[in-house]
């Protein structure tokens, strides 16, 4: 059994290690950078670099890397050795402050949306001291931002850090209205990561899984999730061994892996950490995803993080638990009497305004080829953004809007009717799994992100939109004091909730009635990525980002181009794989099986002409009809796929992929899947869902 306190954070250059290894003055100066946002002095960096190197070498590290998040959505690293050869043929191990705070990776081969030409190679990485350095595979990894030679952000981290600065500044203006001193305000995130584990043996037999991360074909298993027995069920020994190794690795890296369990779908699981500051939480989530993928092979498994690897069962999300902290206070904690907690009501009204004003932009942050298969599929929230507040807060909001007095919800004691079982207090609100943005006690759970996503985009938009709401409140309230301030603040909250009441919905987000009601309310319903992305470059979105210095118009447009290009490339890859599998696996296999039936009929008739072969002939007719339909579907798919390749405009191509090609892909899949249950297992070219999802 692991000694958790001993291994936890053992591979992290955290504050505990810093305090032990840094001179007192250096430590104090570094803490001011970490906790108060003061600039980092090069002399301090030199001392930190030396201590960091000595610690890393003691832990077995031989190299260091600036670990960053390019616009690919994953992480990147280039390893440099500490080794420094000397003239006498010996070597020393060196690492300077300059090497710590700045790196220079080649920027030309990363997505830039036209910011950088191929021949313009120079880029820079800059140390993010607020996210701890760590050791991974004998390499000291230093979390960094990544920018171009001309200063534009080429990564996911830089806009996130800028948005965190914006919310810190605007939240402090609001807190000052309440007479509170200046303090560090930050957003916190807890990322619940869902994933699938399947056997390597089955994985290696499926080209679609290998190249796209999802099954492009596959008939539903005989038993899926309908018995509801997998959710929170006993964890299989092989999976448990994987989870134990994963826990050990993550704990050593200071990742607060807290909860693990089986999810709803067969072969699906979840890991949830304790929350951390947003930038560090996202770094740790990306590290968690990487470790999941790498460690699975130690146990003969493959970790799938695609949002929808299997049709007909639940896909995988990544719930983003978001809150705002000021020192040790949670600004989204309603307290015992939320109706009297003016500061909380202000924060709540600002959240409601932010989500309503920028609903389409928030929807855009979770748009991807994979997540399109998941959103609104009765397993995840719909593509319509709304807020769930729960009974108590909804009643408070209704009372504020109507001007009536709120009596308060009586606390209810839960009595299960068995003497030996303890009584306990019932929560003031239920959970709503159909809501995209749900209040869960002292935070909001943004349920729309997909499992494969980097959460930086979502949190950048959440933070920036919230900063905008906070700024408007501060602009209106600064200069008011005492009863005048309280009266004006309550009036502001009331009017804000009236103006943005349409975004609040506590009902069933899966119902057809909600889709109709949302349309009446004027809420957006962008069902796919091609429809969701254009709002990113709307004047309203660009103005928001520029107002708070989070993204320039150039940076916004480059990211829009990157997202469009990635979407088009992913669908193009899926179409190519589908065509290849149809042509080289499914059509030959189905044709060969049809020939076997025909040969069997001929053999029977030749041996005994009097015997009936009606059954075989009917079966052959069905198979042949399906074969012809599959070939026709392939031809239609191929023609459309090749036609889209000639479209030069990226948005036009994305529209064609979403609205014209994907329906043809779905039609081709339907034809093949219908034949899967008619062709013997031995004749079928790939493992079935029954075999893949229910491995031993």
């Amino acid at each position: 059994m692991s000694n958790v306190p001993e291994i936890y954070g053992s591979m992290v250059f955290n504050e505990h290690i810093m305090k032990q290894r840094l001179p007192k003055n250096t430590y104090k100066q570094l803490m001011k950078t970490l906790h108060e946002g003061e600039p980092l002095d090069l002399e301090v960096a030199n001392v930190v670099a030396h201590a960091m190197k000595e610690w890393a070498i003691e832990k077995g590290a031989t190299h260091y890397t600036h670990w960053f998040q390019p616009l690919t959505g994953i992480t990147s690293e280039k390893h440099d050795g500490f080794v420094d050869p000397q003239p006498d043929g010996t070597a020393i191990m060196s690492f300077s402050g300059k090497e710590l705070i700045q790196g220079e990776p080649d920027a030309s081969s990363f997505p830039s949306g036209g910011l950088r030409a191929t021949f313009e190679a120079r880029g820079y990485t800059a140390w993010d001291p607020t996210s701890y350095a760590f050791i991974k595979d004998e390499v000291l990894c230093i979390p960094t931002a990544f920018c171009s030679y001309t200063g534009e952000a080429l990564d996911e981290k830089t806009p996130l850090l800028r948005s965190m600065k914006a919310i810190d500044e605007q939240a402090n203006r609001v807190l000052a209205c309440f007479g509170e001193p200046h303090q560090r305000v930050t957003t916190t995130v807890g990322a619940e990561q869902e994933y699938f584990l399947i056997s390597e043996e089955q994985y290696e037999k499926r080209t679609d899984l290998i190249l796209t991360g999802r099954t492009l074909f596959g008939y539903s298993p005989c038993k899926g999730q309908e018995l509801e027995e997998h959710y929170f069920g006993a964890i299989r020994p092989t999976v448990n061994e994987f989870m134990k190794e994963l826990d050990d690795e993550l704990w050593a890296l200071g990742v607060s892996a807290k909860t693990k369990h089986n999810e709803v779908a067969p072969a699906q699981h979840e890991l949830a950490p304790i929350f951390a500051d947003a930038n560090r939480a996202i770094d740790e989530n990306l590290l968690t995803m990487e470790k999941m993928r790498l460690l699975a092979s130690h146990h003969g498994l493959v970790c799938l993080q695609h949002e929808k690897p299997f049709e007909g069962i639940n896909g995988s999300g990544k719930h983003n638990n978001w809150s705002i902290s000021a020192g040790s206070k949670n600004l989204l904690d309603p307290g015992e009497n939320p109706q009297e907690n003016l500061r909380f009501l202000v924060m709540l009204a600002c959240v409601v305004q932010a989500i309503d004003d920028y609903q389409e932009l928030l929807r855009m942050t979770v748009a991807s080829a994979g997540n399109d298969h998941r959103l609104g599929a009765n397993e995840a929230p719909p593509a319509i953004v709304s807020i769930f507040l729960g009974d108590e807060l909804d009643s408070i909001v209704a009372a504020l809007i109507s001007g009536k007095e709120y009596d308060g919800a009586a606390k209810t004691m839960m009595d299960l009717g068995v003497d030996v079982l303890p009584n306990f207090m019932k929560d003031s609100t239920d959970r709503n799994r159909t809501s995209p943005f749900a209040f869960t006690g002292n935070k909001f759970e943004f349920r729309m992100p997909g499992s494969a996503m980097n959460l930086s985009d979502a949190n950048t938009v959440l933070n920036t939109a919230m900063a905008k709401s906070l700024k408007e409140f501060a602009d209106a309230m600064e200069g008011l004091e005492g009863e005048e301030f309280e009266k004006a603040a309550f009036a502001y909250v009331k009017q804000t909730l009236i103006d943005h009441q349409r975004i609040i919905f506590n009902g069933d987000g899966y119902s057809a009635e909600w889709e109709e009601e949302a349309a009446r309310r004027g809420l957006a319903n962008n069902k796919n990525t091609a429809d969701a992305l254009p709002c990113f470059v709307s004047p309203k979105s660009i103005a928001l980002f520029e107002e708070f210095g989070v993204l320039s118009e150039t940076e916004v447009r480059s990211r829009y181009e990157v997202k469009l290009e990635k979407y088009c490339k992913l669908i193009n890859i899926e179409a190519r794989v589908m065509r290849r599998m149809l042509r080289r696996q499914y059509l030959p296999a189905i044709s060969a099986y049809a020939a076997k039936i025909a040969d069997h009929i001929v053999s029977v008739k030749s041996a005994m002409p009097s015997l009936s072969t009606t059954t075989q002939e009917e079966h052959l007719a069905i198979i042949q009809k399906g074969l012809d339909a599959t070939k026709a579907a392939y031809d239609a798919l191929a023609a459309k796929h090749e036609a889209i390749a000639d479209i030069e405009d990226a948005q036009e191509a994305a529209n064609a992929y979403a609205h014209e090609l994907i329906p043809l892909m779905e039609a081709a899949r339907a034809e093949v899947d219908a034949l899967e249950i008619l062709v013997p297992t031995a004749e079928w070219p790939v493992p079935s869902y029954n075999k893949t999802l229910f491995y031993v």
Side-chain angles (χ1 to χ4, degrees):
M1 183 176 291
S2 303
N3 185 338
V4 179
E6 184 178 313
I7 69 169
Y8 192 87
S10 59
M11 304 303 282
V12 183
F13 196 73
N14 52 32
E15 289 185 29
H16 176 71
I17 299 298
M18 293 177 199
K19 193 170 186 179
Q20 288 180 339
R21 290 181 170 263
L22 295 175
K24 283 186 179 179
N25 287 339
T26 303
Y27 175 75
K28 286 180 180 178
Q29 286 179 276
L30 184 59
M31 290 306 104
K32 287 183 178 180
T33 297
L34 265 63
H35 300 307
E36 299 174 25
E38 289 195 6
L40 186 71
D41 185 85
L42 182 58
E43 288 185 16
V44 172
N46 278 322
V47 177
V48 174
H50 177 75
M52 193 183 286
K53 177 207 69 177
E54 293 298 306
W55 168 81
I57 290 172
E58 288 175 22
K59 292 289 185 179
T62 57
H63 291 69
Y64 69 92
T65 182
H66 278 196
W67 189 74
F68 60 100
Q69 304 169 31
L71 298 179
T72 56
I74 55 176
T75 61
S76 294
E77 52 196 67
K78 178 188 73 171
H79 302 169
D80 287 301
F82 290 124
V83 63
D84 185 5
Q86 300 299 296
D88 63 357
T90 61
I92 61 172
M93 304 293 266
S94 66
F95 183 53
S96 68
K98 183 178 180 182
E99 288 170 319
L100 169 62
I101 64 176
Q102 180 186 319
E104 193 178 310
D106 188 324
S108 63
S109 297
F110 291 107
S112 70
L115 280 178
R116 301 290 285 155
T118 304
F119 63 86
E120 296 174 319
R122 194 181 296 276
Y124 297 109
T125 48
W127 178 33
D128 172 16
T130 62
S131 188
Y132 301 137
F134 56 91
I135 296 171
K136 176 172 67 79
D137 303 324
E138 292 79 47
V139 179
L140 173 66
C141 298
I142 302 158
T144 57
F146 177 44
C147 69
S148 72
Y149 178 69
T150 47
E152 295 96 351
L154 292 176
D155 66 339
E156 304 277 12
K157 179 185 278 279
T158 302
L160 175 67
L161 292 173
R162 292 170 180 169
S163 74
M164 293 174 71
K165 178 184 176 184
I167 211 167
D168 176 48
E169 292 173 349
Q170 300 307 321
N172 266 295
R173 290 182 64 202
V174 171
L175 293 176
C177 294
F178 287 89
E180 297 191 31
H182 190 279
Q183 55 203 294
R184 181 172 180 261
V185 177
T186 186
T187 50
T188 60
V189 168
E192 302 172 29
Q193 180 70 48
E194 295 176 347
Y195 61 98
F196 281 83
L197 290 173
I198 64 171
S199 78
E200 276 185 316
E201 182 182 1
Q202 305 304 324
Y203 173 82
E204 290 168 357
K205 295 176 181 177
R206 297 213 51 142
T207 307
D208 46 5
L209 277 177
I210 293 171
L211 297 181
T212 73
R214 76 180 183 102
T215 52
L216 300 176
F217 302 96
Y219 195 84
S220 296
C222 296
K223 182 181 88 167
Q225 59 194 52
E226 61 270 23
L227 295 180
E228 300 171 336
E229 60 186 354
H230 193 256
Y231 190 54
F232 283 17
I235 299 170
R236 285 175 287 187
T238 304
V239 173
N240 194 50
E241 288 301 313
F242 160 78
M243 287 181 169
K244 286 196 294 185
E245 184 181 8
L246 179 63
D247 279 341
D248 286 347
E249 291 264 351
L250 293 179
W251 288 336
L253 291 165
V255 178
S256 57
K258 177 74 171 176
T259 304
K260 57 186 180 182
H261 60 84
N262 288 346
E263 254 300 333
V264 173
Q268 188 185 34
H269 313 279
E270 180 178 303
L271 181 148
I274 298 172
F275 68 88
D277 287 355
N279 62 315
R280 202 169 90 229
I282 291 167
D283 284 354
E284 291 177 355
N285 176 251
L286 292 169
L287 192 54
T288 297
M289 294 170 69
E290 178 186 310
K291 284 295 181 182
M292 284 177 171
R293 294 190 297 268
L294 295 176
L295 296 179
S297 63
H298 296 180
H299 306 273
L301 303 172
V302 171
C303 177
L304 303 177
Q305 293 168 349
H306 192 282
E307 287 83 358
K308 191 72 172 179
F310 302 100
E311 189 72 22
I313 61 171
N314 279 13
S316 294
K318 177 150 48 191
H319 301 162
N320 187 92
N321 294 282
W322 178 84
S323 192
I324 309 173
S325 294
S328 60
K329 301 186 296 290
N330 182 343
L331 299 182
L332 293 181
D333 188 344
E336 290 296 318
N337 299 296
Q339 72 278 10
E340 299 173 7
N341 187 341
L342 180 56
R343 188 184 67 191
F344 167 73
L345 293 176
V346 168
M347 289 292 164
L348 177 64
C350 286
V351 171
V352 171
Q353 177 187 355
I355 302 306
D356 187 29
D357 281 346
Y358 296 99
Q359 53 177 289
E360 285 193 85
L361 191 58
L362 192 59
R363 161 69 180 96
M364 180 280 303
T365 67
V366 299
S368 73
N371 215 25
D372 284 354
H373 297 286
R374 172 181 162 268
L375 291 179
N378 289 345
E379 65 195 56
I384 305 164
V385 175
S386 64
I387 296 177
F388 168 83
L389 296 179
D391 294 339
E392 183 177 21
L393 286 187
D394 196 49
S395 298
I396 291 171
V397 167
L400 284 167
I401 289 174
S402 65
K404 296 178 181 177
E405 188 172 339
Y406 174 70
D407 294 331
K411 297 292 183 182
T412 304
M413 183 69 74
M414 298 290 286
D415 184 352
L416 300 182
V418 180
D419 291 341
V420 298
L421 296 179
N423 295 336
F424 54 90
M425 297 303 297
K426 178 182 176 181
D427 286 329
S428 60
T429 184
D430 200 353
R431 289 181 179 268
N432 187 334
R433 66 184 299 272
T434 73
S435 175
F437 201 76
F439 187 72
T440 56
N442 60 5
K443 63 186 186 304
F444 281 93
E445 184 180 35
F446 185 35
R447 299 176 58 91
M448 294 178 81
S451 56
M453 290 182 168
N454 183 321
L455 290 173
S456 294
D457 277 355
N459 286 285
T460 295
V461 168
L462 278 173
N463 294 346
T464 312
M466 185 63 176
K468 173 74 170 175
S469 297
L470 293 170
K471 180 180 183 295
E472 291 184 2
F473 175 84
D475 287 345
M477 297 293 127
E478 282 178 339
L480 303 180
E481 295 179 354
E483 290 185 10
E484 184 184 14
F485 165 70
E486 287 191 12
K487 183 178 179 181
F490 269 113
Y492 188 98
V493 168
K494 176 180 178 179
Q495 190 59 52
T496 299
L497 293 173
I498 290 172
D499 293 343
H500 300 282
Q501 191 175 8
R502 66 173 185 168
I503 201 72
I504 300 171
F505 176 66
N506 290 328
D508 182 3
Y510 293 160
S511 68
E513 290 79 11
W514 166 234
E515 190 167 334
E516 295 169 2
E517 170 64 20
R520 283 193 292 272
R521 294 188 186 191
L523 300 179
N525 187 8
N526 296 318
K527 294 187 176 182
N528 58 63
T529 297
D531 295 344
L533 289 181
C535 83
F536 196 8
V537 288
S538 69
K540 179 181 177 181
S541 298
I542 292 171
L544 173 70
F545 290 125
E546 289 196 321
E547 180 177 358
F548 295 97
V550 173
L551 290 168
S552 67
E553 180 173 354
T554 301
E555 288 171 326
V556 170
R557 293 192 179 280
S558 70
R559 278 163 166 72
Y560 166 67
E561 293 296 332
V562 168
K563 289 178 180 292
L564 273 178
E565 185 178 37
K566 183 174 183 179
Y567 175 75
C568 291
K569 284 181 175 178
L570 285 172
I571 303 301
N572 178 54
I573 289 169
E574 287 190 354
R576 291 177 67 187
V577 172
M578 178 171 266
R579 289 175 61 186
R580 184 73 58 90
M581 291 181 74
L582 281 167
R583 189 171 62 246
R584 300 184 66 178
Q585 289 184 292
Y586 289 107
L587 287 171
I590 298 164
S591 181
Y593 176 59
K596 279 189 176 183
I597 301 173
D599 289 343
H600 177 70
I601 293 170
V602 171
S603 297
V604 169
K605 286 187 173 181
S606 175
M608 296 188 68
S610 60
L611 289 180
S612 170
T613 56
T614 302
T615 300
Q616 295 95 317
E617 289 173 14
E618 289 177 352
H619 188 52
L620 176 59
I622 293 171
I623 297 296
Q624 190 60 47
K625 182 179 179 182
L627 181 62
D628 292 342
T630 301
K631 178 58 167 61
Y634 168 82
D635 290 341
L637 171 63
K640 179 58 67 177
H641 184 213
E642 289 164 11
I644 294 175
D646 295 329
I647 299 176
E648 294 184 2
D649 181 80
Q651 182 64 59
E652 187 182 343
N655 293 341
Y657 278 127
H659 299 291
E660 299 173 36
L661 188 72
I662 287 177
L664 294 176
M665 293 173 67
E666 291 170 349
R669 175 179 189 144
E671 297 295 345
V672 172
D673 289 356
L675 289 168
E676 182 178 337
I677 55 173
L678 300 175
V679 177
T681 300
E683 308 290 339
W684 201 244
V686 300
S688 68
Y689 277 15
N690 288 332
K691 203 164 204 175
T692 304
L693 290 168
F694 296 93
Y695 62 91
V696 178

